[in-house]
Amino acid sequence: MADVVNRRVVLAKRPDGMPDLDCFAVVEEPLGSPQPGQVLVDVEHLSIDAFIRTTLDGAGIHGTVPEGATIMALGVGRVRSSGDDSLSQGDTVFGPMGAQSHVLAPAAMFQKLDVSEAPARAHLGVLGLTTGLTSYVGMVTVGEVAQGDTVVVSAAAGAVGSVACEIGRILGARVIGIAGGPDKVAYLENELGIAAGIDYKNEDVAARLADLAPEGVNLFFDNVGGELLDTVLDKIAPEARVVICGAISQYQHMADVRGPNLYLRLAERNASMRGFTVDYHSAAHAQANADLGRWLKAGEFHLREHIVDGIDHFPEALLMLFNGGHTGKLMVKP
């Protein structure tokens, strides 16, 4: 069998603030046949997630990518050849693929997927660890969303935000999503079916929240941080829950992250703020998978997919995540 030529995206240099395309390079290398315990996988879709940005700097919670190494990314693919009894040629798998077209790695790194009821890429979106499970854990396990709650979700038109909005709607909450631009607000209201969207680029968020949530916000699912976090903290209801999922406004300056100025609203209103990582709540994953799968099968989810073609365009897709150039789940198809 002829060697497979792999194309992979590597870190050419560490960014200083916002990464640019010069921080990345694409290299080619031949991959041989799997040795005992290994599999060779054709990568089909890669998930573009905010955590990838944090790996481009120094050591962090998700680790760091050495210069010259392949950029981290989760993905789904199909086994081309196998040297391990646990996986066979043609099996669909999920795992840490890296930003590349093919991967030769131990079979133990991959999870075999059942794609009889949903396509493989759904395991990066609604059923995915960094999207669906993250949204579920934040909304249900940590945020304890309840019927009748007024819920606000920031970065609501992104992948995690979209699923969080829909989980809130499914469970009977009144959901308000904050996103940038009229097209994204239309997506939130018309496709996801939430109560209202706020366009932070063209509207006064504080004034709109005062109008839409006159009795305050019961649950805030935050993906942004910074000034927007303060804006919503000022509008929380008594005994509100503030869930910190991410802080996309801060990722370009990880050495100088700015916290909220209005954190005393938590004390004044007997409220709570709690951060989380999805891995920490592994005990909730079985129930999350069951609920997400059931809701997906029932047609409750309307997460839009934005798929960028070509592994060479992985850097552009990653930068798109931070400049607001996508709606829904962002993926790369190598």
Side-chain angles (χ1 to χ4, degrees):
M1 180 186 297
D3 287 345
V4 168
V5 176
N6 183 34
R7 290 181 66 80
R8 59 190 182 98
V9 181
V10 302
L11 182 64
K13 65 176 183 179
R14 297 211 179 278
D16 180 13
M18 172 71 79
D20 57 31
L21 295 181
D22 291 338
C23 294
F24 307 94
V26 178
V27 299
E28 288 189 353
E29 61 183 2
L31 296 178
S33 299
Q35 299 301 305
Q38 291 185 320
V39 289
L40 176 61
V41 177
D42 296 334
V43 181
E44 294 185 339
H45 290 92
L46 293 167
S47 180
I48 302 298
D49 296 306
F51 85 85
I52 298 172
R53 171 64 187 87
T54 68
T55 69
L56 306 182
D57 295 318
I61 187 173
H62 301 294
T64 185
V65 177
E67 290 188 36
T70 307
I71 302 298
M72 294 183 188
L74 298 173
V76 293
R78 191 175 300 274
V79 175
R80 174 184 285 248
S81 55
S82 176
D84 191 275
D85 291 340
S86 66
L87 292 172
S88 302
Q89 182 180 9
D91 283 346
T92 301
V93 294
F94 163 82
M97 302 291 178
Q100 53 193 341
S101 59
H102 304 81
V103 57
L104 179 64
M109 291 175 55
F110 301 105
Q111 172 191 348
K112 184 177 177 179
L113 298 177
D114 178 0
V115 293
S116 61
E117 294 189 347
R121 65 182 184 273
H123 293 268
L124 304 179
V126 170
L127 303 178
L129 179 71
T130 57
T131 299
L133 262 70
T134 294
S135 304
Y136 184 100
V137 166
M139 288 289 288
V140 179
T141 310
V142 179
E144 299 179 345
V145 62
Q147 185 171 0
D149 277 346
T150 294
V151 175
V152 171
V153 178
S154 61
V160 172
S162 292
V163 179
C165 282
E166 296 215 82
I167 289 172
R169 173 184 52 74
I170 291 166
L171 295 178
R174 181 172 175 270
V175 181
I176 301 165
I178 302 174
D183 289 345
K184 292 186 177 183
V185 168
Y187 162 71
L188 295 174
E189 295 178 347
N190 300 332
E191 295 184 38
L192 302 189
I194 66 171
I198 299 175
D199 178 2
Y200 74 85
K201 291 184 177 180
N202 298 294
E203 296 182 288
D204 183 325
V205 176
R208 288 280 284 143
L209 280 177
D211 181 51
L212 291 168
E215 297 182 7
V217 175
N218 304 113
L219 172 60
F220 178 37
F221 187 103
D222 188 26
N223 295 298
V224 174
E227 293 181 6
L228 187 58
L229 175 55
D230 271 326
T231 299
V232 182
L233 280 175
D234 200 35
K235 305 299 180 184
I236 57 173
E239 301 182 1
R241 292 90 65 206
V242 177
V243 175
I244 305 300
C245 178
I248 201 166
S249 71
Q250 304 295 301
Y251 291 158
Q252 308 308 330
H253 306 283
M254 292 297 290
D256 188 28
V257 172
R258 303 300 176 94
N261 291 317
L262 297 182
Y263 73 93
L264 288 179
R265 294 290 185 271
L266 299 167
E268 294 166 3
R269 298 172 194 178
N270 292 288
S272 63
M273 179 185 290
R274 185 177 176 188
F276 77 98
T277 60
V278 66
D279 290 337
Y280 181 83
H281 294 276
S282 58
H285 289 189
Q287 186 63 54
N289 282 322
D291 287 344
L292 292 168
R294 175 166 51 85
W295 295 332
L296 179 62
K297 188 175 181 179
E300 292 282 7
F301 287 114
H302 309 89
L303 175 64
R304 190 185 291 182
E305 294 179 336
H306 186 135
I307 299 176
V308 176
D309 283 325
I311 192 64
D312 291 25
H313 297 294
F314 185 97
E316 289 100 316
L318 182 59
L319 300 186
M320 189 185 299
L321 189 70
F322 298 96
N323 65 25
H326 78 293
T327 298
K329 181 63 188 179
L330 182 59
M331 293 177 276
V332 169
K333 182 179 181 180

